[in-house]
């Protein structure tokens, strides 16, 4: 399992603690978040988390073997609300093309956001990308799976009255 942008890492530590038979890799650029995750994983003596403090695009390109990921997670990424900033959103066709070979066949891409226009953007870009299929059927969002704990940004969004949209796609070949 690989997660980009785990923030302070609470939900990643919780998942790693619940699924101790799986290996978890987290990538985050924010040093306090990385420190917090390492500290909390150490307190629970978790042996199944590895962390990169680096830009996820570089890590994906240089450090992740092809066909090695069975679950990719991107939860509540920066939505870049202003139209002129939309190109900074991580979910873009080029990003999905570079992610695809890293997934095992049948591997899953799981994204979530609390910002409806970004959910629509994710759905549009994911649905148009070659090699992915919506696990919930065309244009459908997925219910939040039991294995995904609420995240810090999810709770922040809920306090602001935002909804939550989960998208789950599978690598088809
Ligand atoms: C809005 S926060 C969400 C944090 C967490 N997933 C949550 O739901 O609480 C987005 C996170 O993505 C991280 N991030 C943004 N771009 C990144 C990149 N290119 N590589 C790694 N982390 C990135 C940011 O540092 C930030 O912690």
């Amino acid at each position: 399992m690989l997660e980009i942008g785990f923030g302070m890492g609470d939900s990643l530590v919780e998942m790693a603690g619940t699924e101790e038979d799986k290996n978890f890799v987290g990538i985050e650029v924010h040093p306090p978040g990385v420190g917090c995750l390492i500290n909390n994983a150490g307190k629970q003596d978790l042996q199944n988390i590895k962390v990169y403090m680096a830009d996820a695009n570089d890590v994906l390109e240089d450090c992740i073997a092809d066909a090695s990921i069975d679950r990719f997670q991107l939860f509540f990424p920066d939505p870049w609300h202003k139209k002129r900033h939309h190109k900074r959103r991580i979910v873009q066709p080029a990003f999905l093309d570079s992610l695809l070979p890293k997934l095992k066949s049948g591997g899953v891409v799981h994204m979530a956001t609390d910002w409806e226009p970004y959910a629509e953007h994710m759905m549009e870009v994911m649905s148009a990308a070659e090699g992915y299929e919506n696990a919930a059927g065309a244009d459908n969002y997925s219910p939040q799976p039991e294995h995904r704990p609420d995240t810090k940004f999810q709770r922040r969004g809920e306090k602001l009255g935002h909804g939550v949209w989960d998208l789950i796609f599978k690598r088809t070949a």
Side-chain angles (χ1 to χ4, degrees):
M1 201 293 306
L2 179 86
E3 179 165 332
I4 287 181
F6 55 74
M8 302 309 276
D10 300 4
S11 63
L12 182 53
V13 166
E14 188 176 333
M15 278 185 280
T18 310
E19 300 177 78
E20 281 202 78
D21 56 326
K22 296 198 174 83
N23 290 317
F24 290 76
V25 175
I27 311 174
E28 174 57 63
V29 285
H30 183 54
V34 173
C36 185
L37 177 128
I38 291 172
N39 190 30
N40 288 335
K43 277 187 200 155
Q44 294 184 39
D45 197 25
L46 292 176
Q47 304 295 319
N48 58 338
I49 306 191
K50 289 200 165 27
V51 185
Y52 289 92
M53 191 171 77
D55 188 298
N57 293 294
D58 297 335
V59 176
L60 260 190
E61 193 175 321
D62 299 336
C63 311
I64 306 296
D66 284 351
S68 64
I69 305 173
D70 47 23
R71 196 163 93 213
F72 169 81
Q73 301 185 162
L74 179 70
F75 298 149
F76 305 89
D78 303 301
W80 297 107
H81 302 100
K82 291 181 184 162
K83 193 161 187 188
R84 70 174 187 279
H85 291 154
H86 284 182
K87 56 182 179 296
R88 298 187 193 173
R89 289 174 170 173
I90 193 164
V91 180
Q92 303 289 356
F95 173 76
L96 296 174
D97 287 347
S98 62
L99 175 63
L100 187 70
K102 307 299 177 186
L103 295 167
K104 292 180 181 168
S105 179
V108 163
V109 174
H110 182 185
M111 301 177 178
T113 181
D114 64 323
W115 186 245
E116 190 167 16
Y118 199 11
E120 288 165 357
H121 169 88
M122 288 172 170
M123 183 62 83
E124 193 181 319
V125 176
M126 286 296 310
S127 301
E130 289 285 325
Y132 296 96
E133 181 179 76
N134 190 335
D139 297 327
N140 289 326
Y141 295 98
S142 290
Q144 178 175 342
E146 254 178 46
H147 67 254
R148 183 175 80 68
D150 291 356
T151 77
K152 185 177 169 202
F153 270 77
Q154 175 173 359
R155 287 190 288 272
R156 178 175 163 274
E158 281 169 351
K159 277 189 195 141
L160 295 168
H162 298 177
V164 174
W165 293 267
D166 282 74
L167 294 86
I168 300 180
F169 280 70
K170 285 188 175 170
R171 179 177 176 171
T172 52

